[in-house]
Each structure stands twice: as structure tokens, then as C-alpha cells.
């Protein structure tokens, strides 16, 4: 147990310090039994518990409120590997194992664990599942939700539920596992998970293409899905304005194509037979160029080149940060509507925020855009950021009109809790509240988050 | 509404007539609104409702009890196609659309809907989702649960919940969709679903291999997963005793290999580039033969040949039926334990049922065996079938010891309800009961089924 103020600090705010709070103490249990005992006690006393993994969440789900009356429950010491079974394509890890370590464990038995995101060095499996983390390979493998066989969960009353197991098929009752995935610690505390392993791709091709507009990107996406099938591992959209920010602010970044294009697609193809990815990429991209879906394309000729291309994409947030203030949205719309959404959102923002610079980029293959708007050149950063809610209103309103989601992959947490009540179907909200009451009648699990 | 006894008959028993019942009436609403009104009324009056799709379930979930006081709610008239959007890889269908029609709709827009099972001509999307149907392509695409974006569900109190939508990523609250999938009509009545579409494979290879034993089958499965990745669409295990029954009873069936082998694997590989499946199959099978994983192999050279190979596998149940009595188990164990499970189950059955003939076949790639035991040659069928429970006890006990499931894909229904209470984790059972009470406090939804 940590009660010293200085030692507690690291648990009370998140790295960007957008969310912070106070707490009675930080508890660091060693195993699921200890987690369950903490829960039972807090439930009896009516003390709010804030579960925390790697503390990398972006919506404030993992930090306590300002009351100083909640406790932070760190899962970091639950970091044992319980079992790795490559023949059943399964591994059972405790909640505090980091995502990067989970990937390494898979690799050590010649398997692949596809979840991959920017914070993978510090985020944990428990947090990934509690927030249903997304990342760059959702297109081919789904989100965290799709990568789990079963869970061990400490319930509010101190009982431990286990759906752990390595079964691909088990039709014996309600799916309790999926109830906890994405519930942001409000229904139970995940203490361990059996995760799915996949065959390791033996070949990989990464390509960067210059395009006219998002409509061409959509056509290219459909074309590539048809030609690479489940081998299409990633399809990311990048606007020229975003690439320019990267070229300006990120040391070592260079434009991979000879001349500029209004839009870009970064795509990755995986293959299992020798040379399959390269063959598929070369053939299909030649056809795509011939069909006018793209104007120029480069295929990475080495691992280094592949990593450079990916770095362009992954540096977008950092480059926007260095350029000044940016107002962020993590949204999704049906894939087919992305071009119309980008056009209409751009027009509305131009009307309300003249000179502001939308940089719509992200996982186009999943319909997920990080629709981040950079401040006008030379404008006052604070004044721009002060209009955060107004900008959100415009973008989220449009997302709603397009049948989209205001939180594609980052979750609700504290940031979007009030918003949720406005956009969610009332029957769904009502059911969510009923489930919360059933599983956490005293309301001690991550109070004030999500619901 | 159907009340005439003769007209009602078709809804009161299922095709095998293992389960039948009586009912106040059969209602056949036309749309979700009518379904909801029926539910509201029954909820008020405390009348039990038995939802029914294509009436093809194997565990009695879709037939009423003998009291004559329940009503059957047929979803067959809800058969509209609400939307097909190939660019977003999504289609929204009403619950009564048959699976075969759903497959055709996907094909008509150059997409693939991978759910495929023996009863696809008459089973419905609503029933597939309510029971989380499996089938032959779970290995590559998952079960029905994995093929749905969202649902429209009529709740016990007559409200309609909609999570319909075409979003691959939506982290805004608890996953209500997955709560209803596999709940066998006990938490709500599915009236429509948005289903996932996939790129259509452009090449396909079907192969039939002769093997020494299940351990070799496991090694071959792992080998093929490594070489075909997600292109491995099916991997089915067949014992020689099963093939012999098919050759004896199914007209036109012939042994595809020159000499007999103790075990067989049927596998299907799909590809997206031209000729990819054939190339992968030829190369990897040559290597597998060289490595001694299989003794002989044939690859179908035409669509006709591919269908003949599949027919051998799909005729196993029918052949067992013609051979006499057979006692069935739909079980799964972790894939890695299949060889040991088959050996131990065989030994135990030999001890208790001398001369009985286990025919363990099925979806080895998913860890799912249809462990069906044929009666001894010349024995009395009725006397053998009278020992059904005793046989179940042996097999299900062993499944439990192996960390497996007593219902891999067929569900619980009436058949296994009492069994469930014995094998399920008590905390899980308790949570299931709490969810049932939250969503159906008066217990009107499919009473006496599952829980």
C-alpha cells in the first residue's frame, strides 16, 4: 500500500496531466485473491475503487476524482504468465503484463499476438481489455474484444468469476466475458485473461500511396480487400497537411514520394507462404495504379524502410502537438461514409473556425478517424483550445448524423461521460444502468466513469 | 395467429421429433413492433413465450413445453432485407431471413458471409445468433457471435433495443449485443441484425489426407496454420470407422484415397490472389507428406471433386443414423488435448460399452468434436439408446476434466439444462441468473430453457 504523497503522485495523474485527482491510498495487490479482498472490503465500506493498469488511457478512466476518498487499485504486480499453449493458440496472462511483453511471449513460441498500439511498452493487458483497445491491426484481427477466450474477474462483492479457458467454441450460457471487456472497470476488475494467438506472418509488405481524395482511398481500400483478403493488415489514411506537419517537426522524416499528393494511404499486407506478401503487394498495387486509384506508390524494400513509412503515420499526433494547439476527436463512421464525412466536417469547421486546420487521419480500414484539428497558423493556442467543446459539438453532432461513434477506440472514461448520456439510445443507456446496478449495487467500481 | 391444431403442429415439434410440446397458439408477427407488443402483453399476463426461427435447433430450445400454456413466437415473417452496404462490409437483415439467403445476398454484391452449416437452407439469422451457431468455417471467421455488428432486440417489457449499425469500432459503453447472442431467447427476442461481410475468396483448394492418428492430425493442423494463416478455412477430422459407415450407407460415396488409413483430415484453403489457394495447398501438402505428417493426400481438381470430398464429411451423421442407434455429444476441448481426449474417451467407453463404436469427428481446427458413439454391430438399438445418460456421463465427465465444454456449438436448450447447473462455475451461474432476473424479471422469455 502506498500512502506517501510523493510516491502516490505517479498514480494520481496521467502522463499528459489532463486528468488528475486525489486518493486515500494506492493499493498494489499481488494476486487475484488480494484484489478480491480489497474489493470486498471497499464494497462493505462504500469506498470507491479506481482500477489502474499502465496508466496510459486517454479519457481519464484510470485516475481518481478530486475528493480524496477513492482508492487507486494498481494491477501492475499481477504480472505472471500463467500458461502459454501454442498448440491451442492460447496464452493466459495476468492483468499487469504489458502489451509489449505479451507480444514477445507470443513471438517466443512462434505465434503472433496482433494487438498493437502506440503505448504498448507500458499499457497492460488488463487495461487493454477493460477499455477494448483498438490500434493498427483491427482491420484484420479485430479489437481487444476479439482477441480473448476468457477472463478472470474480481467482482464488486469480492467473489472471483473465471471464464478462463482455451475453447474456441463454448455455447454454455450467456457470454459473461464480453460483458466485462470494454466496461472500463465499472462492472468488475479483470485480474487475468486467456488471449488468442495467431500464426506468425512470414512475409510482410508495407506500401505508401499518393491519392487524389478520400473517395479514391475508399475505392483503393475495397480493391485491396478483394485482392489481399484477410492479408490486408492495415489501411491508414493520411492527409497532405498531416504529412507536412510530420516533415516539418519530426527529425529524420522525409517524403517517400517524389511529388506531393493531396492524400496518402499507408498499407500493410501480410503473407504466410514465402514471398506471398511482396507478390500480392506488387501485383495489386500495379493494378491499382493502372486503374487510376492511386497516382504514385512506393513499397518498402527493407525492414528499415517499412519502419520509416510507419513512423510517418505514428508521428502525426506528436507533429500536431509541436505545431501548437489541436482539438481531438476519436470517432468512427460506416466506412462507406468516410469521404462524405470528411468533406462535410471540413466545411462546417471552416465556417465556425476560419483558418483552423483539420488533419483527419487514422484507421480508415476500420472506419476510425482521429479527427484532430490544428489551430490556425499564428493564432493564440489558449484561445483556440478554449473553444474545445464548441468544436466537439460540431464534430460529434455530425458523427451522430452519420450513424457513427463518438468514441471509436479510446473509451468514455471521465472525458465523454456526459456526452454519452446525450448520444446513446435511451433503451441502451437504461440497460447499461440496470447491468451496473446488478453487478455493482453499491457503486464502488470506478465511480463517475463511463456511466 | 395460428390456433388450429393441425396448422400448429409444425411449430410444436422439431424435425427429429425428439422434442415436442403444446401451446396456447402460434403467433407470427410481421415486424419488430408487433413482436414487441406480443412481448409486452405476455409480460403483463405472465405467459411464457418460445421464440422460434427455422425450427432446426438440436437441443429443444425452440419448442414449447407440454403445459399448453406457452405461446410460440415465430419470427419467419420478419424476412426483410433492410440494407446491404458492400463498401462498409455490412448488411442488415431481419431475423427470419434464412442463412442460405443471407449467403446469397452477400454473394450478389461480391462479398462473402462465412457462416455455413448443414441446416442453412431453413435455419434463420435470428436463430443463428440466438444460439451462436458454429459450423465449418469457425476456424477462419469465428462463430455467429463474431459475425455481427449489432442487433435489434425486443425486450421482455416490450421496449425495443437497437445496437444496429455498421461500426467496426465503437467504445461507448457495455457490449449489449454480445449479451443477447447465444442467450437462446431467454433475455430478449432478436428481430434484426447487422452482419459482417467479407471479401470473397477467389480461389479455393480442398484436400483429403490419410493420417496415422490424432496426434499427427494436430501436428498437421499446426503446420497448415503456419503455412496458410487465415487462409486455412476448415480442418475437419474423420476416423476410418466413420468413413467406412459413409461408404456403406451413402449412395455414390467412394474412398478418395487408394488404400485405407486409420484417420483422415479434410481441409480447405482459400486464397484471394489468382491461384493462391491451389499454390499454397500444393506446396504445403507436399512438405507435409515429406515430413511424414500424412501418408497420402488428394487435392480436388474440380468443384465437383471438392463437393464430393465435403459430402463425405457432411454425411457422417446420416451414415451413423442408418447404421443404427448412436449416442451424441457436441463437445470441445483445448485443441492441444484432442489426441489425449480421444484416446481416453475411447478406453473408458470400451470398458463400459464393449463393442460400441465411437466415431469422433468434427471441427478439429476449433477443438470441436461431434463425439458420437454407434451401437455395437447387431445389438438392440433401443437397449443401447436407453443407456444415453450413462454414456453422456462418461464423455461429459471427461470433457470437464479436460477443461472442455459440454456444448460446443449446439447450445443448452432443454437437453442440457440440468447438466449446465452441474458443470458451470457457480459464480458464473449466479451471474447468469442475476442477468436473467434483470432482463426478464417475470420469467416469460423461453421459460425452462438454458437457465
Amino acid at each position: 500500500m502506498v500512502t506517501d504523497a510523493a510516491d502516490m503522485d505517479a498514480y494520481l495523474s496521467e502522463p499528459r496531466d489532463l486528468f488528475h485527482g486525489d486518493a486515500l491510498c494506492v493499493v498494489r495487490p499481488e494476486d487475484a485473491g488480494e484484489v478480491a479482498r480489497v474489493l470486498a472490503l471497499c464494497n462493505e465500506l462504500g469506498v470507491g475503487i479506481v482500477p489502474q493498469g499502465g496508466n496510459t488511457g486517454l479519457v481519464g478512466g484510470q485516475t481518481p476524482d478530486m475528493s480524496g476518498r477513492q482508492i487507486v487499485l494498481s494491477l501492475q504486480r499481477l504480472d505472471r504468465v500463467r500458461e502459454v499453449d501454442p498448440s491451442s493458440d492460447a496464452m493466459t496472462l495476468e492483468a499487469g503484463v504489458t502489451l509489449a511483453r505479451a507480444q514477445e511471449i507470443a513471438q517466443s513460441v512462434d505465434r503472433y499476438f496482433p494487438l498493437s498500439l502506440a503505448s504498448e511498452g507500458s499499457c497492460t493487458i488488463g487495461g487493454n481489455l477493460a477499455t477494448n483497445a483498438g490500434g493498427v491491426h483491427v482491420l484484420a484481427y479485430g479489437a481487444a474484444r476479439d482477441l480473448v477466450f476468457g477472463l478472470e474477474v474480481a467482482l464488486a462483492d469480492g467473489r472471483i468469476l473465471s471464464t478462463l479457458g482455451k475453447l474456441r467454441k463454448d455455447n454454455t450460457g450467456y457470454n459473461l466475458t464480453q460483458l466485462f471487456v470494454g466496461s472500463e472497470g465499472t462492472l468488475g476488475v479483470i485480474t487475468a485473461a486467456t488471449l488468442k494467438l495467431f500464426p506468425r506472418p512470414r512475409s510482410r509488405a508495407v506500401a505508401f500511396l499518393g491519392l487524389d481524395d478520400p473517395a479514391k482511398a475508399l475505392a483503393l481500400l475495397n480493391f485491396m480487400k478483394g485482392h489481399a483478403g484477410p492479408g490486408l493488415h492495415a489501411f491508414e489514411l493520411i492527409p497532405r497537411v498531416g504529412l507536412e506537419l510530420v516533415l516539418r517537426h519530426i527529425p529524420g522524416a522525409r517524403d517517400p514520394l517524389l511529388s506531393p499528393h493531396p492524400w496518402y494511404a499507408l498499407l500493410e499486407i501480410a503473407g504466410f507462404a514465402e514471398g506471398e506478401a511482396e507478390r500480392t503487394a506488387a501485383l495489386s498495387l500495379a493494378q491499382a495504379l493502372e486503374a487510376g486509384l492511386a497516382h504514385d506508390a512506393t513499397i518498402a524494400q527493407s525492414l528499415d524502410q517499412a519502419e520509416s513509412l510507419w513512423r510517418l503515420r505514428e508521428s502525426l499526433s506528436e507533429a500536431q502537438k509541436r505545431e501548437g494547439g489541436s482539438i481531438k476527436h476519436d470517432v468512427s463512421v460506416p466506412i462507406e461514409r468516410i469521404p462524405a464525412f470528411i468533406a462535410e466536417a471540413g466545411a462546417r469547421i471552416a465556417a465556425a473556425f476560419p483558418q483552423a486546420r483539420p488533419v483527419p487521419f487514422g484507421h480508415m480500414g476500420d472506419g476510425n478517424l482521429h479527427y484532430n484539428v490544428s489551430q490556425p497558423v499564428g493564432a493564440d493556442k489558449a484561445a483556440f483550445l478554449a473553444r474545445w467543446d464548441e468544436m466537439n459539438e460540431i464534430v460529434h453532432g455530425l458523427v451522430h448524423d452519420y450513424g457513427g461513434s463518438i468514441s471509436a477506440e479510446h473509451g468514455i472514461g471521465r472525458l465523454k461521460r456526459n456526452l454519452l448520456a446525450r448520444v446513446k439510445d435511451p433503451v441502451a443507456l437504461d440497460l447499461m444502468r440496470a447491468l451496473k446496478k446488478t453487478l455493482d449495487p453499491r457503486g464502488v467500481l470506478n465511480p463517475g466513469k463511463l456511466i
Side-chain angles (χ1 to χ4, degrees), chain A:
Chain A
M1 192 162 84
V2 182
T3 51
D4 182 81
D7 294 342
M8 274 169 62
D9 251 12
Y11 301 91
L12 300 181
S13 64
E14 38 85 56
R16 302 164 310 161
D17 205 29
L18 286 179
F19 300 97
H20 53 268
D22 203 356
L24 280 173
C25 63
V26 176
V27 291
R28 294 166 45 82
E30 199 198 356
D31 57 35
E34 284 188 12
V35 173
R37 282 195 292 281
V38 170
L39 264 59
L41 187 66
C42 288
N43 193 47
E44 206 183 303
L45 301 174
V47 172
I49 299 155
V50 182
Q52 188 180 94
N55 194 11
T56 60
L58 298 174
V59 292
Q62 77 278 24
T63 45
D65 66 16
M66 297 300 297
S67 70
R69 297 174 62 182
Q70 301 182 328
I71 72 165
V72 174
L73 175 68
S74 168
L75 279 305
Q76 284 180 316
R77 288 176 69 211
L78 278 78
D79 65 351
R80 280 163 289 253
V81 176
R82 294 204 191 155
E83 193 197 10
V84 183
D85 176 357
S87 267
S88 300
D89 284 326
M91 60 179 175
T92 302
L93 310 179
E94 289 188 346
V97 172
T98 64
L99 175 52
R101 197 169 147 224
Q103 293 165 348
E104 284 160 20
I105 292 163
Q107 191 161 344
S108 73
V109 293
D110 196 28
R111 291 293 185 275
Y112 179 55
F113 184 64
L115 192 66
S116 174
L117 32 131
S119 61
E120 60 197 27
S122 41
C123 67
T124 60
I125 289 302
N128 293 153
L129 289 166
T131 59
N132 187 29
V136 293
H137 293 140
V138 175
L139 174 58
Y141 292 92
R145 181 182 299 293
D146 302 298
L147 303 175
V148 61
F149 284 120
L151 295 176
E152 181 185 80
V153 182
L155 302 177
D157 59 12
R159 289 182 301 169
I160 295 178
L161 167 75
S162 174
T163 64
L164 293 176
K166 302 182 280 190
L167 303 178
R168 277 161 201 280
K169 283 184 171 176
D170 179 17
N171 276 343
T172 58
Y174 307 151
N175 192 319
L176 301 174
T177 302
Q178 294 298 339
L179 190 57
F180 294 97
V181 178
S183 70
E184 303 188 15
T186 63
L187 297 180
V189 177
I190 296 171
T191 53
T194 308
L195 300 171
K196 296 182 186 172
L197 297 174
F198 295 84
R200 263 178 83 186
R202 273 163 225 284
S203 57
R204 190 173 81 129
V206 176
F208 198 86
L209 294 92
L211 317 170
D212 276 338
D213 53 37
K216 282 280 165 58
L218 179 65
L220 179 67
L221 171 63
N222 279 325
F223 180 88
M224 290 307 304
K225 283 199 279 199
H227 283 74
L232 184 63
H233 268 208
F235 190 104
E236 302 284 313
L237 181 71
I238 304 168
R240 175 72 196 172
V241 57
L243 182 62
E244 278 172 3
L245 294 181
V246 171
L247 298 175
R248 183 176 315 152
H249 295 293
I250 305 299
R254 58 171 210 82
D255 192 335
L257 299 179
L258 287 176
S259 55
H261 300 273
W263 292 85
Y264 299 95
L266 171 68
L267 54 88
E268 181 172 309
I269 294 171
F272 290 84
E274 204 61 52
E276 181 192 328
E278 295 85 340
R279 203 163 48 230
T280 303
L283 269 170
S284 54
L285 290 185
Q287 289 176 40
L289 286 167
E290 203 178 295
L293 299 177
H295 285 306
D296 195 6
T298 179
I299 300 180
Q301 298 301 317
S302 68
L303 206 60
D304 264 7
Q305 284 184 16
E307 278 172 11
S308 299
L309 293 178
W310 265 113
R311 205 149 44 230
L312 295 175
R313 159 66 184 86
E314 281 164 355
S315 303
L316 278 161
S317 287
E318 179 62 23
Q320 271 196 287
K321 193 172 158 187
R322 297 194 192 177
E323 179 72 7
S326 86
I327 299 178
K328 293 161 184 275
H329 311 83
D330 165 44
V331 302
S332 67
V333 294
I335 296 174
E336 184 259 342
R337 308 198 73 183
I338 285 183
F341 174 81
I342 288 177
E344 194 167 346
R348 289 202 191 182
I349 288 169
F353 294 79
Q355 314 304 324
R357 292 165 292 167
V359 185
F361 69 92
H363 319 301
M364 177 152 182
D366 316 319
N368 179 192
L369 291 178
H370 297 300
Y371 195 95
N372 299 346
V373 184
S374 280
Q375 64 172 69
V377 177
D380 180 66
K381 180 176 172 182
F384 179 70
L385 293 182
R387 295 177 70 191
W388 190 290
D389 289 347
E390 194 187 335
M391 175 85 78
N392 278 184
E393 195 86 17
I394 294 172
V395 174
H396 290 153
L398 198 61
V399 165
H400 192 66
D401 295 346
Y402 274 71
S405 168
I406 57 155
S407 185
E409 60 177 13
H410 296 163
I412 298 298
R414 273 200 267 175
L415 180 65
K416 296 181 179 171
R417 191 170 76 113
N418 294 327
L419 202 54
L420 186 66
R422 277 172 37 211
V423 300
K424 198 89 179 170
D425 170 47
V427 180
L429 260 187
D430 193 63
L431 259 188
M432 282 172 56
R433 286 195 197 102
L435 293 172
K436 171 72 175 175
K437 205 170 159 192
T438 302
L439 280 151
D440 179 23
R442 301 204 54 184
V444 296
L445 291 172
N446 220 0
K449 312 292 167 54
L450 203 156
I451 194 159

